[in-house]
Amino acid sequence: HIRTPRADFKVLGDKPEDFPAMESCGWEDAVNVEGEVLAEIVKKVLFAAATERTRYALNGIYLVMRNKEIEAVATDGKRLARIIRPVASGSEHEGVIVPAKFINFLEKASMAAGEGGHAPVKILVKESSIFASTTNSVLTSRLIEGHFPDYEAVIPSGCDNVMTIGVKDLQQAVIEGALLGDRESHAVRFCFSGKRLTLSSRSPDVGEAKVELEVDYEGSDLEIAFNPDYIRDCLLYTSDAADELDGVD
C-alpha cells in the first residue's frame, strides 16, 4: 500500500515462497575472469551476436574455457567476432552458448562491484545453467540450447593479402566511400593495388564516390565489396592505433 498526500496506490503481490529459488552450486571449479576481460567480451564480441528471435542459437556468446584461456565468439551469420584471453585456473568447458543479456548484466555487475574499474568475476557452468559471482552479487541463467556454427572452419589459417592502416584513417575512408552508395546493394568496393587502397560506391540515381589512401599492403591486386556498416562496427570496437586486415581470395 503506497500513499501520498494526493494519491493512493494498492499494488498486488505474490507470496514470497512462490519466488523461484536459486540453484545452489559450489565455486571450487569456477573460472576466475578479470573484469577487464569481461568488459572486452562485451565491447569487442557482443555486437556481432544475432538479434532475430528465429536464430536462437546465435542470440548469445559462445564461451570456451580451456588451457587457462577463455574464448568468446559471436556471429549473426554475416559477421563474426572472436577474442581469446588468459584466465586463472578453473574447470574446462568445450563450449556453451550464454545469453547475450546475461553477459551484459554480468559486465555491469562487475563494474558496480569494482572501485574505479571492473571487479574480477567467477564463472561456473553446471549442467544447463551458468553461474557468476562478484564481490557483492550472484547471477545465474539458463544456457541457450542449440548448435553453434563451426566458426573455426571459416577463419583462415593463413592469409596472402595483408594491409596495415590506422583505424581512424580507415573509419573516415569507409564513411566517405559509402556516402553515395546504392540503398539496395549497400556496398562499398575495396580495390587493393600496390600500396594504394581505393574505396568506391555508386548509385544510378545519386552519383559516385571514390576515396584513395596510401596503405602498407602486401599481396596481389584484389577487388572486393563489403557492407560498410559491418566494417564500421569492427573498427568502432578496435582500440588499437593501427589495424591489420587480412584477406584471402
Side-chain angles (χ1 to χ4, degrees):
H1 198 174
I2 303 172
R3 181 175 296 168
T4 69
R6 63 175 187 176
D8 195 11
F9 303 93
K10 192 172 184 179
V11 183
L12 300 179
D14 295 320
K15 297 178 180 179
E17 55 268 23
D18 291 339
F19 191 84
M22 179 176 289
E23 183 181 353
S24 61
C25 67
W27 296 98
E28 298 81 8
D29 296 327
V31 176
N32 296 303
V33 180
E34 292 297 327
E36 289 73 18
V37 171
L38 186 64
E40 267 197 292
I41 292 176
V42 171
K43 179 181 179 180
K44 298 183 178 181
V45 177
L46 191 61
F47 75 93
T51 55
E52 301 92 343
R53 293 182 179 272
T54 56
R55 314 192 73 179
Y56 195 56
L58 303 184
N59 290 156
I61 292 181
Y62 188 73
L63 289 183
V64 180
M65 292 170 279
R66 62 189 174 202
N67 301 325
K68 294 186 179 182
E69 290 182 334
I70 184 170
E71 179 179 5
V73 187
T75 180
D76 59 4
K78 298 177 182 177
R79 55 186 173 177
L80 183 147
R82 178 181 73 159
I83 65 171
I84 301 175
R85 295 292 183 268
V87 296
S89 59
S91 59
E92 296 191 355
H93 298 278
E94 285 304 310
V96 294
I97 307 175
V98 182
K101 186 177 290 187
F102 176 81
I103 294 292
N104 241 329
F105 280 140
L106 182 56
E107 189 268 339
K108 292 177 181 178
S110 171
M111 178 177 288
E115 298 181 1
H118 288 77
V121 300
K122 293 182 178 180
I123 297 178
L124 176 69
V125 176
K126 183 180 179 183
E127 298 176 354
S128 60
S129 299
I130 183 170
F131 300 84
S133 71
T134 66
T135 54
N136 58 9
S137 61
V138 177
L139 290 79
T140 182
S141 171
R142 300 284 292 180
L143 296 172
I144 295 177
E145 297 181 357
H147 174 70
F148 198 82
D150 183 8
Y151 58 93
E152 292 183 334
V154 301
I155 300 177
S157 57
C159 297
D160 301 324
N161 307 300
V162 180
M163 178 187 73
T164 303
I165 186 174
V167 170
K168 291 185 178 180
D169 293 337
L170 185 55
Q171 281 178 328
Q172 186 61 36
V174 171
I175 292 173
E176 295 173 1
L179 281 176
L180 301 181
D182 184 76
R183 292 185 178 181
E184 293 184 3
S185 63
H186 200 57
V188 172
R189 301 198 69 82
F190 286 64
C191 181
F192 300 88
S193 181
K195 296 294 183 181
R196 184 175 296 274
L197 167 62
T198 303
L199 293 85
S200 62
S201 64
R202 61 177 304 173
S203 172
D205 301 325
V206 180
E208 181 178 331
K210 180 183 291 186
V211 181
E212 294 185 345
L213 293 173
E214 293 291 334
V215 298
D216 182 5
Y217 176 69
E218 296 181 3
S220 58
D221 290 356
L222 177 67
E223 187 171 345
I224 188 170
F226 291 107
N227 183 322
D229 292 340
Y230 294 161
I231 299 295
R232 283 198 294 262
D233 282 347
C234 291
L235 296 174
L236 179 63
Y237 300 111
T238 300
S239 57
D240 300 327
D243 196 22
E244 183 178 283
L245 274 69
D246 302 338
V248 294
D249 294 335

